[in-house]
Amino acid sequence: TLHLLLLSSLFPLLLALPLLALLVWLGVSSGLAPLRGLATQLHQRGARSLQPLALSRAPVEVHSLVNALNLLLERLGSAMEAERRLTSDAAHEIRTPLASLRTHAQVALRSSDPTVLAHGLRQVSQSVERITALMEQILLLARLDNEELHETFIRVDLGQLSEETIAELAPQAIAKNIELTLESQGGTVLGVPVWLGIMLGNLVGNALRYTPEGGQVEITLERHGQWVELWVRDSGPGVAASEQAAIFTRFYRSPGVSGSSGSGLGLPIVKRVVEIHQGRISLHPGLGGAGLGVRVELPSAP
């Protein structure tokens, strides 16, 4: 009697379980159908097909997922476009020194005059140095553009770094009879020493490059509360107000300044280094109200 009672109680469940499993499978399949459709759309796309996914074709339940994917596709598109522009601009910039290198090499090869040969070899050497410097800056900029930076930030004495920069660039100042001075109150920041050194070198190097012979370049380091202010002022031609935003554009050169051998990457690298260190950069008048003054504000190290 007990067995019959148990059997009569379990028999309906034995019949219902397969039906219940079928209903669960149908429900899960129906719920996952939008995700499978989304996966199919993504699978059918090419490597450079970064158009946003259409929300109209997706159910409301996956709209947040589609929005997140569209934001990711937008960031990938921006990164690929920036890389394409950098590659295109770099190829354009390298073409000129390469042509100069080939020309001077051909002149040197065709001449038997030792003076002409020596002059041609000097020009070849200068072209190689220019190409090398340009490639180093392009590689550095590509590294700085990487969103995943693995460098360790340490305490950096900007006063000492400024003294080292002046010592390194002093021969350029002496060659142009430029008075290069440093007024430092000291200041310590958290950062990457190599990148901060490159920032200082580019700022002071630009000032020396554009300041005429007999001019002045002044570096000032001040502390204001939680910020360390670095000023680089010169007595050069300055930058017109209409150009101040453009000079941070990669490969930009001021049309009003001639005879410069700059690559047009110095200030963009400076700006990127400042951004990585959570700082600010701004342009102001230079010495005596003329020339250019660049102010960099970096958070002081605790």
Side-chain angles (χ1 to χ4, degrees):
T1 304
L2 181 60
H3 290 290
L4 291 175
L5 182 61
L6 289 174
L7 185 60
S8 62
S9 300
L10 294 175
F11 185 72
L13 291 177
L14 293 175
L15 294 177
L17 282 175
L19 180 60
L20 181 61
L22 177 62
L23 291 176
V24 170
W25 180 79
L26 290 175
V28 172
S29 298
S30 176
L32 293 179
L35 294 179
R36 285 198 298 269
L38 192 61
T40 302
Q41 288 187 54
L42 293 172
H43 182 71
Q44 292 174 346
R45 290 189 169 211
R48 296 187 175 274
S49 181
L50 300 177
Q51 296 82 6
L53 299 168
L55 281 175
S56 59
R57 300 173 60 183
V60 178
E61 292 79 7
V62 297
H63 275 193
S64 58
L65 175 61
V66 174
N67 284 328
L69 286 173
N70 284 339
L71 288 175
L72 176 60
L73 291 172
E74 182 180 352
R75 290 198 297 269
L76 286 173
S78 299
M80 290 179 64
E81 177 62 21
E83 183 178 349
R84 186 197 63 79
R85 285 200 308 268
L86 181 61
T87 304
S88 176
D89 291 341
H92 179 268
E93 291 296 321
I94 292 174
R95 188 178 297 118
T96 299
L98 279 178
S100 175
L101 175 64
R102 182 174 60 246
T103 300
H104 291 302
Q106 290 174 347
V107 170
L109 288 172
R110 293 173 183 173
S111 176
S112 57
D113 186 344
T115 303
V116 176
L117 181 60
H119 176 73
L121 291 177
R122 283 195 298 270
Q123 295 296 323
V124 167
S125 177
Q126 291 177 5
S127 297
V128 171
E129 290 177 0
R130 181 179 175 188
I131 293 172
T132 302
L134 179 60
M135 291 306 302
E136 288 176 351
Q137 289 194 315
I138 290 173
L139 291 173
L140 173 62
L141 201 52
R143 184 179 178 188
L144 293 174
D145 281 341
N146 189 351
E147 293 184 0
E148 298 182 2
L149 299 174
H150 302 289
E151 278 69 16
T152 302
F153 280 46
I154 63 175
R155 295 173 64 88
V156 181
D157 185 348
L158 280 186
Q160 180 180 349
L161 204 58
S162 299
E163 293 175 1
E164 294 172 359
T165 301
I166 286 182
E168 182 179 348
L169 296 177
Q172 296 184 28
I174 294 172
K176 295 181 67 175
N177 193 28
I178 293 176
E179 183 183 354
L180 180 60
T181 60
L182 169 65
E183 296 182 9
S184 174
Q185 298 178 1
T188 304
V189 301
L190 288 178
V192 182
V194 173
W195 292 354
L196 291 172
I198 291 172
M199 177 195 74
L200 274 163
N202 283 349
L203 286 174
V204 179
N206 271 359
L208 292 174
R209 183 179 299 113
Y210 293 109
T211 299
E213 292 191 12
Q216 292 177 291
V217 173
E218 178 184 272
I219 305 168
T220 306
L221 199 60
E222 304 171 349
R223 287 179 291 181
H224 296 281
Q226 300 300 315
W227 295 90
V228 176
E229 283 189 6
L230 169 70
W231 284 87
V232 178
R233 301 180 180 93
D234 62 55
S235 59
V239 176
S242 58
E243 289 185 70
Q244 290 191 358
I247 64 173
F248 291 107
T249 304
R250 298 173 183 185
F251 299 106
Y252 177 84
R253 295 187 184 89
S254 176
V257 180
S258 59
S260 171
S261 59
S263 65
L265 288 176
L267 285 179
I269 288 175
V270 168
K271 183 180 180 182
R272 183 62 184 141
V273 171
V274 172
E275 290 172 349
I276 290 173
H277 288 80
Q278 306 299 315
R280 303 182 294 236
I281 185 170
S282 54
L283 302 180
H284 304 269
L287 297 174
L292 177 66
V294 181
R295 181 178 67 180
V296 172
E297 301 169 278
L298 297 173
S300 178

